[in-house]
């Protein structure tokens, strides 16, 4: 089990399908003879489901114990989708918001990666571990326990732009090697502190003297495990993360999540003609929540589709510059750069196929 919270890596590669079940039954020797030249491999190919074009965002409420990579594989299989990727790894020990992009939505992953992230986590006091979570081995101990007042008094020092040293067991690369691979091999891992942004950090519960529950709102590159480690050191009692839940990533919040078992049930209903999987997917443009939208005519859309720039004239032409997402007849067409009325396409979308249509519920 991967035990590392790689919250800010950007693995958006297309995931492979799940391997064939090794326990699958063999061909019955008493069955009718196969045609000449018909091999088991060809028989397997014959029954393999064709993949299809599926476009949109699925916000999975990832269960504890599942890797982000496996979650993507499961979703891809359920939708028989050609392409899929996630917007920020969530550790197997963590639960919660894992936005999964399908099809053309994979082109918008960077916009979600750069969005705010909300976490609720529990710190277990009295012990620091080499992984900064429950899976590691203890490397420092203390009989001291912080009071709620001491914890609250310390938190302002960790709000704003701070310097943070990532965990030794993290996905950060050191001379081409992942830090966690080096740490596993027993090599000394020295990571340099880097700036991260924490906009909010609050103590929400103290269930007992050994534990504290906190909430954090932070930006890209922040490690919650490092935060727990540093708070424990500053309080003189040590600490590590014992529970973690991500409650939001960019525009995706708890109200938009779906449990895996509920999604599987929806897939069964859709297969029998009751409802559609499109109801579980949010539109591709949901990821572009903070970007201005610009509607254009069909004739201008044809030029953008070919990769050609379009110049808008007249008093209604936009006079600002920056990134916009372009629509035609209400449908997403492209991501583009706008400069004094000129639209230069950067990413063009082809939304033929199953398109997400679930509404966005903001919390």
């Amino acid at each position: 089990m991967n035990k590392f919270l790689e919250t800010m890596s950007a693995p958006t590669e297309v995931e492979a399908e799940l391997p064939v079940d090794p326990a699958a039954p063999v061909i019955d020797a008493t069955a009718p003879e196969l045609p000449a030249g018909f091999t088991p491999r060809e028989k397997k190919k014959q029954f393999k489901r064709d993949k299809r074009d599926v476009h949109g965002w699925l916000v999975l409420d990832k269960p504890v114990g599942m890797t982000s990579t496996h979650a993507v594989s499961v979703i891809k299989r359920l939708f028989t989708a050609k392409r899929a990727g996630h917007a920020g790894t969530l550790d197997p020990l963590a639960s919660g918001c894992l936005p999964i992009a399908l099809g053309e939505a994979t082109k918008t992953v960077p916009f979600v990666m750069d969005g705010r992230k909300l976490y609720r986590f529990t710190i277990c006091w009295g012990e620091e571990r080499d992984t900064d979570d429950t899976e590691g081995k203890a490397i420092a101990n203390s009989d001291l326990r912080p009071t709620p007042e001491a914890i609250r008094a310390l938190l302002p020092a960790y709000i704003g732009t701070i310097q943070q040293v990532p965990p030794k067991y993290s996905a950060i690369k050191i001379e081409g090697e992942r830090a966690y691979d080096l740490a596993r091999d027993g090599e000394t891992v020295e990571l340099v502190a880097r700036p991260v942004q924490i906009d909010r950090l609050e103590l929400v519960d103290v269930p007992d003297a050994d534990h504290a529950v906190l909430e954090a709102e932070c930006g890209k590159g922040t490690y919650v495990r490092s935060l727990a480690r540093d708070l424990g050191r500053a309080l003189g009692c040590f600490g590590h993360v014992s529970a973690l839940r991500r409650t939001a990533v960019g525009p995706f919040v708890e109200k938009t999540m779906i449990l895996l078992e509920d999604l599987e049930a929806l897939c069964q209903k859709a297969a029998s003609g009751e409802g559609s999987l499109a109801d579980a997917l949010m539109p591709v443009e949901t990821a572009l929540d903070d970007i201005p939208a610009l509607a254009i005519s069909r004739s201008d859309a044809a030029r953008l589709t070919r990769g050609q720039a379009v110049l808008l004239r007249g008093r209604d032409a936009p006079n600002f510059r920056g990134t916009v997402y372009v629509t035609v007849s209400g449908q997403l067409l492209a991501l583009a750069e706008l400069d004094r009325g000129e639209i230069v396409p950067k990413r063009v979308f082809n939304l033929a196929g199953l398109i997400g249509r679930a509404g966005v519920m903001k919390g």
Side-chain angles (χ1 to χ4, degrees), residues 2-13 68-69 86 88-92 113 130-133 164-184 189-191 194 221-226:
N2 178 5
K3 51 182 180 288
F4 314 108
L5 177 62
E6 304 166 355
T7 51
M8 307 306 153
S9 60
T12 59
E13 67 272 15
S68 297
T69 298
H86 63 70
T89 302
L90 193 57
D91 185 78
M113 295 284 292
D130 57 359
T131 60
D132 299 320
D133 61 20
Q164 185 184 75
V165 177
K168 293 180 180 180
Y169 285 81
S170 65
I172 294 175
K173 287 189 175 181
I174 302 175
E175 297 181 353
E177 298 288 336
R178 297 290 187 186
Y180 56 67
D181 286 331
L182 297 174
R184 285 171 178 166
V189 177
E190 296 292 341
L191 295 173
R194 56 185 187 172
T222 306
Y223 282 89
V224 175
R225 287 182 290 138
S226 292

Side-chain angles (χ1 to χ4, degrees), residues 131-142:
T131 60
D132 299 320
D133 61 20
T134 57
E135 289 294 292
K137 63 180 180 181
I139 56 176
N141 295 275
S142 174

Side-chain angles (χ1 to χ4, degrees), residues 23-58:
V26 297
I27 299 175
D28 186 356
T30 63
E33 187 174 349
L34 293 173
F38 191 90
T39 65
R41 180 183 297 273
E42 289 171 340
K43 188 173 188 295
K44 185 189 299 182
K45 289 181 180 178
Q46 178 180 341
F47 294 103
K48 185 176 181 180
R49 291 188 297 176
D50 291 332
K51 295 180 181 178
R52 58 179 177 169
D53 291 312
V54 181
H55 312 294
W57 284 93
L58 188 286

Side-chain angles (χ1 to χ4, degrees), residues 151-280:
I151 298 171
R152 290 192 181 94
L154 180 62
L155 297 185
Y158 293 84
I159 297 175
T161 302
I162 66 170
Q163 293 293 318
Q164 185 184 75
V165 177
K168 293 180 180 180
Y169 285 81
S170 65
I172 294 175
K173 287 189 175 181
I174 302 175
E175 297 181 353
E177 298 288 336
R178 297 290 187 186
Y180 56 67
D181 286 331
L182 297 174
R184 285 171 178 166
D185 293 338
E187 297 188 29
T188 300
V189 177
E190 296 292 341
L191 295 173
V192 179
R194 56 185 187 172
V196 297
Q197 180 69 30
I198 299 177
D199 296 318
R200 181 171 64 87
L201 182 61
E202 297 178 359
L203 177 67
V204 295
D205 191 22
V206 180
D208 54 56
D210 293 327
H211 299 88
V213 181
L214 293 88
E215 287 186 351
E217 178 178 346
C218 51
K220 182 178 180 180
T222 306
Y223 282 89
V224 175
R225 287 182 290 138
S226 292
L227 190 56
R229 175 201 65 206
D230 294 343
L231 288 171
R233 290 178 181 178
L235 290 166
C237 63
F238 302 115
H240 62 273
V241 170
S242 59
L244 174 65
R245 179 171 175 79
R246 188 159 68 188
T247 57
V249 178
F252 305 115
V253 296
E254 282 195 288
K255 291 180 180 179
T256 64
M257 298 183 208
I258 184 169
L259 294 169
L260 185 57
E261 51 265 37
D262 291 340
L263 180 62
E264 290 172 338
L266 179 60
C267 288
Q268 292 177 356
K269 289 183 178 180
S272 62
E274 301 178 25
S276 170
L277 285 178
D279 295 331

